Amino acid sequence: ISNKFHLLHYNFRDLIILKDNGIKFDCSMLYYGTPYLLPTYHGDTDLILAPYYWEDGHSHQMRKTINSNMVDMNSPGLKIFNFHPIDLYYNTLNIRHRNEIKNVVKNIGNISEKISGHLKNKQHYGIRDYFLDLASYIKINDHNTLFCSELNKLARANIKNNE
């Protein structure tokens, strides 16, 4: 019931197609590091649209330094994070590292550890390190976490309560 467009561009016609195919939740808008994010309901398509807060690829494109305090977890609002499997697996350090991997690894599903193992970042703080620190931070600070399906139900319940 959930959707996320990979290339982050769509139009209203796409939202109608989602509706016609039973999709109820979309998380395709990136508002990098923006506080006060909330899901919104679009009655014309019966979709909950939830913006996401952070993405590894966008962070790399912006040439942000990967470190344990890249985002303000204490700012108010929704915090949805998007991690790419390739960045987690290789613990990518920056856009140059990510592009080097993409130049060598044409199909990540068919590559052996023997061939690609040397591309893993094991010396510097990278995306996997950040992911693990973020998970620890969430657990230690007892932050609520939800799957998109749970956020969809919660947002819809709030709409009904406010009608």
Side-chain angles (χ1 to χ4, degrees):
I1 64 168
S2 298
N3 178 69
K4 181 186 169 298
F5 290 103
H6 184 250
L7 297 176
L8 302 182
H9 66 285
Y10 59 89
N11 59 42
F12 185 73
R13 194 172 48 240
D14 296 320
L15 299 179
I16 296 297
I17 291 169
L18 293 179
K19 174 189 174 208
D20 291 347
N21 285 281
I23 302 298
K24 298 291 185 185
F25 183 90
D26 181 77
C27 186
S28 298
M29 296 178 292
L30 173 60
Y31 290 99
Y32 190 94
T34 302
Y36 298 100
L37 296 178
L38 294 172
T40 58
Y41 177 69
H42 286 255
D44 49 355
T45 57
D46 192 32
L47 280 168
I48 297 291
L49 302 179
Y52 66 106
Y53 181 76
W54 184 89
E55 179 183 85
D56 51 11
H58 194 72
S59 207
H60 283 333
Q61 288 289 359
M62 292 174 22
R63 305 215 186 292
K64 296 277 186 182
T65 300
I66 306 303
N67 61 53
S68 61
N69 57 0
M70 285 190 295
V71 297
D72 181 5
M73 287 296 292
N74 294 316
S75 67
L78 191 61
K79 306 283 185 299
I80 297 176
F81 291 79
N82 182 43
F83 290 90
H84 290 85
I86 192 170
D87 292 308
L88 290 171
Y89 182 76
Y90 289 102
N91 196 30
T92 56
L93 179 62
N94 52 39
I95 193 67
R96 189 172 50 251
H97 182 215
R98 189 185 223 215
N99 288 337
E100 176 188 341
I101 293 164
K102 287 182 173 186
N103 287 335
V104 173
V105 181
K106 298 300 180 197
N107 183 342
I108 197 164
N110 296 327
I111 194 83
S112 71
E113 176 71 22
K114 183 178 179 181
I115 294 171
S116 69
H118 71 283
L119 295 170
K120 285 184 181 178
N121 167 30
K122 297 174 186 169
Q123 296 179 338
H124 304 285
Y125 193 91
I127 292 297
R128 183 178 52 245
D129 299 315
Y130 178 64
F131 176 82
L132 294 172
D133 282 350
L134 181 62
S136 292
Y137 177 87
I138 289 167
K139 184 175 182 177
I140 289 167
N141 291 285
D142 199 28
H143 285 290
N144 291 335
T145 60
L146 300 169
F147 290 107
C148 289
S149 59
E150 296 168 315
L151 181 56
N152 179 41
K153 287 178 186 173
L154 183 63
R156 288 175 186 279
N158 276 340
I159 293 161
K160 288 182 182 176
N161 291 336
N162 291 325
E163 286 180 340

